[in-house]
Amino acid sequence: KNEVEQSPQNLTAQEGEFITINCSYSVGISALHWLQQHPGGGIVSLFMLSSGKKKHGRLIATINIQEKHSSLHITASHPRDSAVYICAGNSGGGADGLTFGKGTHLIIQP
Amino acid sequence: GAGVSQSPSNKVTEKGKDVELRCDPISGHTALYWYRQSLGQGLEFLIYFQGNSAPDKSGLPSDRFSAERTGGSVSTLTIQRTQQEDSAVYLCASRGGGTVNNEQFFGPGTRLTVL
């Protein structure tokens, strides 16, 4: 059974701080997704990665396949980054249903 | 272009009633997923359709849950004899074909409340 563990569960930081959210996953997961959900909002896919590193604006996602670990970083954090960040994985070439972490509730204070 | 749409956005029903939730995926997307998000369980996978293949129903919590996808496009999730524990947000996602790009695009969800 695929498993995804995410930490921290809650994170409060000041505007401008560098943010790191971590995700560990089980054998069998070959693709790792980072998702964002604003309060009362829908889910937006930020990244899907199976190796290496991806960057989009102030967001960076990395994955270490050997250690089965991924991180999501936010540089120069801003209050609008406040959201729940969810790590999710799937297998079978990434073409099956996602297994989700419990999410990290991030609050960026001005 | 239009994203994934779901209807209704909110549904309140009485325990024991049947409900149907609809998902319109992104045009041309061959893969369609149903998930649910509840306070106690977080996000969980329900069912997955890929083209004309038999669906992966491994996440359906009971035989009261079923889904179909007609013509490889619109999907309907049906919950029979609803129970209070079925209250959740039901999310649909779709994905383009192939394994090169496996990003899933989520709809806004249907919030189901079973009284």
Side-chain angles (χ1 to χ4, degrees):
Chain A
K1 181 181 175 184
N2 289 343
E3 292 183 347
V4 175
E5 297 286 336
Q6 198 174 332
S7 65
Q9 186 174 350
N10 294 283
L11 178 57
T12 300
Q14 295 298 122
E15 182 173 357
E17 286 189 39
F18 181 80
I19 303 299
T20 296
I21 300 170
N22 294 300
C23 178
S24 297
Y25 56 92
S26 62
V27 171
I29 286 176
S30 60
L32 207 290
H33 302 244
W34 283 100
L35 310 171
Q36 179 193 57
Q37 187 173 33
H38 280 102
I43 292 176
V44 175
S45 176
L46 299 175
F47 297 103
M48 195 286 294
L49 64 168
S50 54
S51 65
K53 173 181 174 179
K54 288 187 177 180
K55 183 177 189 292
H56 184 247
R58 295 180 294 105
L59 301 177
I60 303 166
T62 63
I63 189 168
N64 183 318
I65 298 168
Q66 286 73 29
E67 295 184 4
K68 298 195 178 356
H69 181 270
S70 177
S71 293
L72 175 69
H73 306 285
I74 306 174
T75 62
S77 59
H78 189 276
R80 64 175 174 267
D81 297 327
S82 299
V84 176
Y85 293 84
I86 303 164
C87 171
N90 57 356
S91 55
D96 56 345
L98 293 172
T99 298
F100 299 88
K102 295 190 185 301
T104 294
H105 188 193
L106 174 66
I107 297 173
I108 303 297
Q109 296 177 333
Chain B
V4 177
S5 61
Q6 293 185 244
S7 60
S9 55
N10 283 283
K11 176 72 176 178
V12 180
T13 190
E14 294 179 346
K15 178 182 173 181
K17 301 281 189 183
D18 297 353
V19 294
E20 284 189 354
L21 312 179
R22 177 187 167 106
C23 172
D24 285 84
I26 292 173
S27 178
H29 277 193
T30 58
L32 186 147
Y33 306 78
W34 282 99
Y35 301 98
R36 74 174 175 184
Q37 186 173 32
S38 55
L39 282 176
Q41 300 296 323
L43 274 157
E44 54 183 337
F45 163 73
L46 297 177
I47 188 169
Y48 160 53
F49 295 89
Q50 171 62 61
N52 295 320
S53 303
D56 175 0
K57 304 179 182 179
S58 60
L60 294 178
S62 78
D63 59 8
R64 295 185 296 103
F65 288 72
S66 63
E68 62 179 22
R69 189 178 185 193
T70 54
S73 181
V74 172
S75 177
T76 302
L77 177 69
T78 301
I79 309 173
Q80 296 177 310
R81 305 181 303 282
T82 52
Q83 303 295 312
Q84 288 182 332
E85 61 263 28
D86 299 335
S87 296
V89 176
Y90 289 82
L91 293 156
C92 176
S94 70
R95 175 180 59 79
T99 57
V100 175
N101 181 3
N102 290 304
E103 182 180 6
Q104 295 185 22
F105 295 85
F106 287 81
T110 293
R111 182 175 297 278
L112 175 66
T113 304
V114 182
L115 301 176

